[in-house]
Amino acid sequence: MTVPQGRRSSTFTRLLRHGFTDPSAAERLLDVPALAQVRSDPLLLDALGATADPDLALLGLVRLVEAEQETGGDTGRRELLDTLVTAKPLRDRLLGVLGASEALADHLARHPRDWRALVTYESADLHPGVEEFEAGLAEATDPVSLRVAYRRCLLAIAARDVCGTTDVAEAAAELADLATATLRAALAQAEKAAPADAAQCRLAVIAMGKCGGHELNYVSDVDVIFVAEPAEGAAGADEGKAIQAATRLASHMMRICSETNIEGTIWPVDANLRPEGRNGPLVRTLSSHLAYYQRWAKTWEFQALLKARPVAGDAELGQEYVDTIGPLVWQAAERENFVADVQKMRRRVVENIPAGEVDRELKLGPGGLRDVEFAVQMLQLVHGRSDQSLRSGSTLVALDALAAGGYVGRVDASQLDDAYRFLRSLEHRIQLYRLRRTHLVPEDDADLRRLGRSLGMRTEPITDLGREWKRHTSVVRRLHEKLFYRPLLDAVAQLAPGETRLSTDAARERLVALGYADPAAALRHLEALASGVTRKAAIQRTLLPVLLGWFADSADPDAGLLGFRKVSDALGKTPWYLRLLRDEGAAAENLARVLSAGRLAPDLLLRAPEAVALLGDPRGLEARDAAPLTQEVLAAVGRADGAEQAVTAARGVRRRELFRTAAADIIGSYGTEDSPAEGDQGALVDRVGGAVSDLTAATIAGTLRAVVRDGWGDTLPTRFTVIGMGRFGGHELGYGSDADVLFVHEPREGADEQEAARAAATVVAEMRRLLALPSADPPLLIDADLRPEGKSGPLVRTLKSYEAYYRRWSLVWESQALLRAEPVAGDQDLGRRFTELIDPLRYPAEGLGEDAVREIRRLKARMESERMPRGADPTLHTKLGRGGLSDVEWTVQLLQLQHAWAEPGLRTTRTREALAAACAAGLIPTEDAATLDEAWVLATRVRNAVMLVRGRAGDTFPSDVRELGAVGRYLGYDAGHIGDMLDDYRRITRRARAVVEERFYGA
């Protein structure tokens, strides 16, 4: 048929106006003779234009009309078109489905008479339930017909959904009811196929997950658990045989739903939430279920049981299952590490999302559906123990109950409800298109346009959809962090008189669940911080919900909260402090991590709270170079009156820089949202060792300048230098290390030697006294025991005296000690000449003789047997224990003594540099070098961790459980994995000891 050009142009324009994206194709479809009635009816064209995808709806309508023509002739076609013209509700529903779901359009093209199912549920007040769906499935006698009947019922649900007759929660509940009816029908078919099995057992099907919670998706696995008992009065009833029979029935039921037939599949039935997962028996008795949950179940399994609901099979047995297992669910929050387990599971889910899909994941991604569900379920498990109103399997019902009970703020609950409904609606529309199980937002513009229009966004559907999606996920991310903590503030601050608030007992329960050991003290701190109408209190009420979460993520939440209160008390009236925490994204989280990681960093901060400003500057935690650091210390000394005041100033700079280093170390080890934990542990160790060593050198230089200026003005009668030894000379100091040094002087020309010696001795004595004076700043202890003759020898010698001693009396252990000697302060030329003096001793030509090697090995063996503290575990002692620092360092130093004369790379004071050089020179296999390096880095990190956590030095793991947990968190172990940490330490150091036995002892 030829259409006049004028009419074609007019139709083309109308189609564009009605939202068709391909008007030419639509015109060709409208020219089909069977659709003449549609083309001439403006109501039908308007209805098509109101759908999510008018092009898809028109194509689906053409296919349906043609299918009706084939199966029912003109009578069927006219009935369909007449109904579309005269019955607006049915017209909107049918076209709405055709414009939203290609899969349901395919179903109608195969089964054209199924459109009449929409008439059944035409009343807007009718909400079909399980009974209505069972009636809709009643005629299905085999898997194929069950599939067809299921799709027919699904068509009715989708039609009501896309037209807005039901909201997303009602649609999800209807989908769950349809799944229930389908499971019952499938089980009935299985029982009909095996009547002997059916007679031998009582089988109950327990719905889990979204089906159990009455919030199913269009396409989702239906999670179930099977429980069975022998049939009452069955001949020769035997529990084992009954379980076998029930297993056959359950397996057959699962196949009916899951297997593909000519109509496709219904949905997979997933029984992996059962005890022991896929490795456990498919069916158990009730007593077997109970025994498992009492003894072996993990926290996540109780979380899953929140949604358990009997849906098919023996109703009495199903209810007995829920009544028996249900009480165990409400004891889960009392389990050790409950919150940590739930949070860890959530993190694991996010980590398993492919990197390219994270930003498109509606369900599992940050700010997605799972964030809402996890937060709500965690609150249910904590407070549902004493409040039965919270025991709902439905997320939105539970959220409403949490708000009514004051466990969640009403505004927060309302925002979360809106976000969850939007995300679920978007998920439904995505799945409805092709009835495929997916949670990814598509990238194609045509798909995004259809989704936006299906959600009522008609002007700029793609732009509006992206904006709304981003807004709602942002709300979820924010509230997910806040939900658990904000009501705690409401409980103590009385912010909303007249509204239901979290009770004091409920607040204590929540704090205990979060890991606070002293909830009463925590509530007092919260009250002090959040109460009142001041600007300070208002800002802290905004900050605390998130801070409490970060504190709870640490090994000692109580210490973090107490530290924050102390810092806020000291700085709360300082304008920049709260502004920094509120406006600088990383500052608040950095402060929370630092305050809850142990004692050292908070102690340093509380002595000078203004150092918190370092946490807000991206460059504030970077280690400072030695030269400007020394320059600052010397300038501070120069401004002071008297030596004591000068050294106090120098120690003040040291305190601030120690805090900078400790804070950077903690944040680098724990990680934050903006700065994840660093992977190179060796780099962390090197950074700490270098920073603390440079800081110690600068402090000693400043102290030397202050002493000389106070006693002699600008010029001391003798040249004077300080030589760093041990870990100080190796740039490997830890937070609690003493400074091992040698003092060297050389009288100036014309100076009296005795006067010069007295001046040098006075300088040494005064430096040690000033640095050890009681102070709020951490002490810096000077240790000169590595000097010639040890404690019996003079503290300071002339360069010539050192030369004479080393020429005549030096022992092999002193040559070994000098491997790490490096000038750190004082006269640079004198320091250079001292290193030239000792180089032939520490890098002996042609290496060590056999006697010297034997002597070093003998000394090492003696040290191992005599210096290990009584009662210490040699497998866990970081310094003297098996594979610890001493083992690695002596092995490296022996290589230096033997080969540094020929290998310049070995002429370094740093252990790791020397080990790398030995490996590069082929003196030690790469694998052995890596083993020693790993052990040395780990032992050093443990020592640093102990000092950070306890505030005092230690060479072994703490015995206190909480302190041990904090060391584990610093080392990257989650709560509950302390045993893994100790096992890993023993394993790594055991391997290192094996290398030492071979490379050092020659075994």
Side-chain angles (χ1 to χ4, degrees):
M1 180 177 69
T2 303
V3 180
Q5 185 64 35
R7 199 194 79 188
R8 179 175 294 279
S9 175
S10 172
T11 304
F12 188 94
T13 303
R14 288 171 60 205
L15 291 171
L16 273 178
R17 189 171 64 248
H18 280 86
F20 286 85
T21 58
D22 190 352
S24 297
E27 278 189 291
R28 288 193 295 273
L29 290 174
L30 287 170
D31 285 341
V32 173
L35 285 189
Q37 193 171 353
V38 175
R39 185 171 58 242
S40 62
D41 192 320
L43 290 178
L44 282 175
L45 199 58
D46 288 344
L48 284 166
T51 64
D53 187 340
D55 302 85
L56 184 66
L58 178 57
L59 177 61
L61 180 59
V62 170
R63 294 175 65 202
L64 175 57
V65 169
E66 290 176 341
E68 273 284 17
Q69 181 84 38
E70 286 184 23
T71 59
D74 282 341
T75 302
R77 178 182 65 83
R78 281 197 301 271
E79 180 187 358
L80 170 61
L81 294 177
D82 288 346
T83 306
L84 284 174
V85 171
T86 59
K88 183 180 188 306
L90 186 139
R91 176 174 66 239
D92 292 342
R93 289 176 188 175
L94 177 57
L95 296 182
V97 167
L98 293 175
S101 178
E102 186 180 79
L104 288 177
D106 291 343
H107 173 82
L108 284 171
R110 290 195 305 272
H111 305 281
R113 297 191 64 81
D114 278 5
W115 67 266
R116 292 164 178 81
L118 302 183
V119 179
T120 306
Y121 305 112
E122 191 168 331
S123 170
D125 298 325
L126 179 60
H127 293 275
V130 176
E131 290 183 2
E132 286 78 13
F133 290 126
E134 282 188 299
L137 303 176
E139 296 180 3
T141 57
D142 57 66
V144 175
S145 58
L146 180 60
R147 171 68 169 174
V148 174
Y150 173 82
R151 279 290 177 92
R152 186 184 308 120
C153 294
L154 190 68
L155 175 68
I157 295 174
R160 291 157 51 77
D161 181 16
V162 298
C163 290
T165 305
T166 55
D167 67 13
V168 66
E170 291 169 334
E174 289 182 12
L175 288 165
D177 285 341
L178 175 57
T180 297
T182 306
L183 289 170
R184 292 178 182 178
L187 181 57
Q189 289 186 13
E191 289 174 339
K192 184 178 180 181
D197 286 340
Q200 197 165 7
C201 66
R202 300 166 61 207
L203 174 64
V205 183
I206 311 299
M208 305 285 285
K210 291 192 179 304
C211 183
H214 260 107
E215 48 189 15
L216 197 62
N217 294 329
Y218 277 101
V219 187
S220 179
D221 291 355
V222 171
D223 297 305
V224 299
I225 285 177
F226 297 105
V227 58
E229 297 288 345
E232 295 178 6
D238 175 86
E239 185 176 288
K241 291 181 179 179
I243 293 299
Q244 291 174 5
T247 300
R248 288 191 292 269
L249 289 175
S251 299
H252 191 183
M253 186 203 81
M254 293 175 69
R255 287 196 302 274
I256 290 171
C257 296
S258 305
E259 286 185 350
T260 302
N261 54 47
I262 59 174
E263 290 290 335
T265 60
I266 299 178
W267 20 246
V269 177
D270 188 342
N272 288 337
L273 291 178
R274 66 186 185 269
E276 300 181 75
R278 65 184 61 189
N279 297 319
L282 182 64
V283 181
R284 291 174 182 256
T285 62
L286 181 55
S287 60
S288 176
H289 277 282
L290 180 61
Y292 173 83
Y293 286 118
Q294 287 176 330
R295 297 188 61 188
W296 309 111
K298 297 180 175 60
T299 299
W300 70 264
E301 293 180 276
F302 292 109
Q303 186 178 352
L305 284 167
L306 264 172
K307 296 182 181 293
R309 179 172 64 91
V311 291
D314 191 299
E316 184 179 343
L317 177 58
Q319 190 58 50
E320 189 178 354
Y321 173 91
V322 171
D323 293 342
T324 302
I325 303 300
L328 299 180
V329 174
W330 308 110
Q331 299 169 15
E334 299 168 8
R335 296 162 66 95
E336 187 177 359
N337 301 316
F338 159 69
V339 172
D341 286 347
V342 175
Q343 292 173 337
K344 182 170 64 178
M345 182 180 173
R346 175 68 187 115
R347 285 193 295 269
R348 189 181 302 126
V349 167
V350 174
E351 289 165 1
N352 288 334
I353 303 172
E357 296 180 358
V358 171
D359 293 337
R360 297 167 52 215
E361 250 289 353
L362 265 181
K363 178 180 178 181
L364 305 179
L369 292 162
R370 189 57 60 87
D371 272 351
V372 182
E373 292 160 358
F374 264 65
V376 169
Q377 289 164 19
M378 192 158 58
L379 291 172
Q380 284 181 275
L381 290 170
V382 170
H383 299 296
R385 291 174 292 173
S386 56
D387 189 342
Q388 295 194 17
S389 70
L390 305 180
R391 300 182 180 184
S392 170
S394 167
T395 301
L396 291 177
V397 173
L399 180 59
D400 187 58
L402 286 165
Y407 304 101
V408 175
R410 291 190 181 278
V411 173
D412 290 347
S414 176
Q415 291 180 334
L416 206 62
D417 183 284
D418 288 344
Y420 189 72
R421 288 176 185 273
F422 173 84
L423 295 173
R424 285 299 305 273
S425 296
L426 181 55
E427 180 185 46
H428 277 193
R429 297 297 191 273
I430 291 171
Q431 293 184 349
L432 185 58
Y433 178 49
R434 288 192 173 128
L435 288 181
R436 291 179 182 171
R437 184 174 182 269
T438 179
H439 311 287
L440 291 178
V441 176
E443 298 176 295
D444 183 75
D445 280 355
D447 290 329
L448 293 172
R449 179 177 182 273
R450 183 186 64 256
L451 290 172
R453 284 174 58 89
S454 76
L455 295 172
M457 304 167 188
R458 297 303 170 91
T459 307
E460 295 286 345
I462 297 176
T463 302
D464 292 346
L465 176 65
R467 183 174 59 249
E468 283 298 288
W469 178 30
K470 183 177 181 180
R471 179 175 71 84
H472 284 298
T473 54
S474 175
V475 167
V476 172
R477 278 199 301 271
R478 176 174 58 83
L479 293 180
H480 177 70
E481 296 169 341
K482 179 181 175 183
L483 266 182
F484 220 71
Y485 311 107
R486 180 74 199 191
L488 291 169
L489 304 188
D490 294 340
V492 298
Q494 299 181 9
L495 302 178
E499 283 200 8
T500 306
R501 296 184 296 111
L502 197 63
S503 70
T504 302
D505 288 342
R508 286 198 185 95
E509 280 185 350
R510 190 173 295 194
L511 286 165
V512 170
L514 288 166
Y516 286 83
D518 189 350
L523 285 173
R524 289 196 298 272
H525 298 324
L526 290 175
E527 185 170 11
L529 288 163
S531 294
V533 295
T534 64
R535 177 177 174 275
K536 170 186 173 184
I539 294 177
Q540 289 183 154
R541 284 196 293 270
T542 302
L543 292 169
L544 274 167
V546 179
L547 287 171
L548 283 169
W550 288 325
F551 294 148
D553 190 39
S554 73
D556 194 350
D558 300 81
L561 181 56
L562 174 61
F564 180 69
R565 180 180 176 182
K566 288 180 177 178
V567 172
S568 291
D569 286 347
L571 292 176
K573 295 181 180 178
T574 309
W576 60 264
Y577 164 65
L578 291 172
R579 187 168 62 246
L580 171 77
L581 298 186
R582 184 191 63 196
D583 299 339
E584 296 293 336
E589 184 173 4
N590 288 343
L591 177 61
R593 298 301 184 200
V594 167
L595 290 176
S596 55
R599 296 180 183 176
L600 179 64
D603 286 349
L604 293 169
L605 179 60
L606 291 170
R607 288 169 183 152
E610 64 276 2
V612 77
L614 298 173
L615 302 176
D617 182 355
R619 298 183 300 275
L621 298 177
E622 294 177 1
R624 299 182 62 194
D625 292 337
L629 184 59
T630 303
Q631 196 71 28
E632 181 185 359
V633 171
L634 294 177
V637 166
R639 293 190 296 268
D641 295 328
E644 286 195 11
Q645 192 178 83
V647 173
T648 298
R651 290 174 70 178
V653 174
R654 177 172 178 264
R655 176 193 59 233
R656 183 197 68 213
E657 295 303 319
L658 269 179
F659 172 75
R660 186 198 306 271
T661 302
D665 188 16
I666 290 166
I667 294 163
S669 297
Y670 279 59
T672 65
E673 184 174 328
D674 296 330
S675 176
E678 298 185 19
D680 188 352
Q681 307 305 318
L684 279 174
V685 164
D686 291 344
R687 188 165 65 192
V688 171
V692 177
S693 299
D694 288 344
L695 179 55
T696 300
T699 306
I700 289 175
T703 304
L704 175 61
R705 173 74 62 86
V707 170
V708 170
R709 186 192 65 179
D710 222 35
W712 293 273
D714 292 332
T715 306
L716 192 67
T718 185
R719 298 178 185 278
F720 189 93
T721 193
V722 183
I723 308 297
M725 300 288 285
R727 301 182 79 79
F728 186 16
H731 290 252
E732 298 162 355
L733 285 180
Y735 299 110
S737 301
D738 294 346
D740 291 314
V741 298
L742 299 177
F743 296 109
V744 186
H745 81 102
E746 183 181 66
R748 296 185 184 278
E749 290 185 18
D752 179 78
E753 290 192 5
Q754 290 187 341
E755 180 187 351
R758 283 194 297 271
T762 301
V763 167
V764 170
E766 188 66 0
M767 285 179 66
R768 299 181 79 191
R769 182 187 73 84
L770 291 172
L771 287 171
L773 283 175
S775 167
D777 299 314
L780 174 55
L781 301 180
I782 301 295
D783 187 340
D785 288 353
L786 292 177
R787 65 186 183 271
E789 302 176 78
K791 294 181 180 179
S792 303
L795 280 170
V796 58
R797 291 174 180 260
T798 64
L799 185 63
K800 288 183 179 179
S801 175
Y802 276 102
E803 181 181 11
Y805 174 85
Y806 287 137
R807 185 175 62 250
R808 297 183 60 189
W809 310 110
S810 177
L811 301 174
V812 67
W813 73 263
E814 290 177 297
S815 296
Q816 183 181 351
L818 289 170
L819 282 168
R820 306 175 88 179
E822 182 171 292
V824 294
D827 191 290
Q828 294 182 2
D829 180 66
L830 181 59
R832 178 186 55 77
R833 286 188 285 131
F834 179 83
T835 58
E836 291 174 353
L837 167 68
I838 64 173
D839 276 352
L841 277 81
R842 56 183 177 175
Y843 312 134
E846 305 302 326
L848 290 179
E850 286 299 319
D851 290 344
V853 172
R854 278 195 296 273
E855 176 64 12
I856 287 177
R857 288 172 175 165
R858 187 187 65 80
L859 287 171
K860 176 72 167 67
R862 179 181 169 188
M863 183 181 71
E864 289 178 13
S865 63
E866 295 180 0
R867 293 181 60 187
M868 178 72 70
R870 180 175 298 178
D873 184 346
T875 68
L876 294 176
H877 198 280
T878 59
K879 183 176 181 180
L880 302 174
R882 181 191 69 188
L885 297 171
S886 176
D887 269 0
V888 177
E889 289 166 2
W890 281 61
T891 302
V892 173
Q893 289 161 14
L894 180 59
L895 289 170
Q896 289 180 283
L897 289 167
Q898 290 175 315
H899 302 286
W901 65 277
E903 293 292 341
L906 289 171
R907 298 171 199 169
T908 175
T909 62
R910 293 164 165 82
T911 300
R912 298 187 71 215
E913 279 189 9
L915 182 57
C919 181
L923 301 174
I924 184 171
T926 301
E927 184 177 350
D928 287 356
T931 297
L932 294 179
D933 185 73
E934 182 182 21
W936 189 89
V937 167
L938 178 57
T940 302
R941 293 203 76 218
V942 171
R943 293 182 96 202
N944 284 343
V946 170
M947 184 66 187
L948 285 169
V949 169
R950 303 177 68 192
R952 61 181 188 275
D955 289 319
T956 190
F957 290 88
S959 56
D960 179 83
V961 174
R962 183 154 287 213
E963 291 178 346
L964 189 62
V967 169
R969 288 288 287 112
Y970 172 87
L971 295 176
Y973 292 86
D974 290 332
H977 290 272
I978 300 307
D980 294 340
M981 172 182 69
L982 299 178
D983 289 345
D984 288 347
Y985 182 87
R986 289 188 172 103
R987 174 179 53 80
I988 290 168
T989 54
R990 182 175 63 247
R991 291 172 52 215
R993 178 64 183 193
V995 175
V996 172
E997 294 283 357
E998 180 180 357
R999 301 292 163 190
F1000 181 82
Y1001 286 111

